[in-house]
Amino acid sequence: MMALLWAFVFVSLAGAVRGERPFTRIIVPLALLLYGIYELAILILYANSLNTWQNWPTNTLFYIIITLFTAWGLNRSRSHHYYN
């Protein structure tokens, strides 16, 4: 059920980016950050194996990098003409 919810959120946001909605510059990185926190919470709460516990720093770094890259890409000066 949660996978369907996240899929709906991200497909809706992709449509909003394609529709040149200016609010997507803030909402897309926020949604990615919330998704990363959700995934890491699931990992921490339900991880039983040692390998899963060892991967949480890598997963955290991945979500931080993806969020920052997306925020940079949507807010750089070249993308402003797309939303205006």
Side-chain angles (χ1 to χ4, degrees):
M1 210 54 195
M2 287 303 291
L4 288 174
L5 175 72
W6 283 112
F8 176 75
V9 167
F10 285 118
V11 167
S12 299
L13 287 174
V17 168
R18 185 169 166 85
E20 302 173 7
R21 306 282 187 221
F23 67 87
T24 58
R25 289 192 228 160
I26 297 170
I27 300 298
V28 171
L30 181 64
L32 286 170
L33 182 64
L34 290 175
Y35 179 74
I37 291 170
Y38 166 75
E39 283 291 320
L40 291 172
I42 295 284
L43 179 79
I44 290 170
L45 291 174
Y46 299 111
N48 292 327
S49 69
L50 183 59
N51 289 339
T52 307
W53 275 101
Q54 291 174 345
N55 287 338
W56 79 265
T58 306
N59 292 344
T60 304
L61 182 63
F62 172 75
Y63 287 121
I64 289 171
I65 289 171
I66 291 298
T67 302
L68 291 176
F69 180 74
T70 304
W72 171 78
L74 290 173
N75 290 305
R76 56 190 293 215
S77 61
R78 291 184 182 179
S79 69
H80 286 283
H81 76 276
Y82 180 76
Y83 290 104
N84 293 330

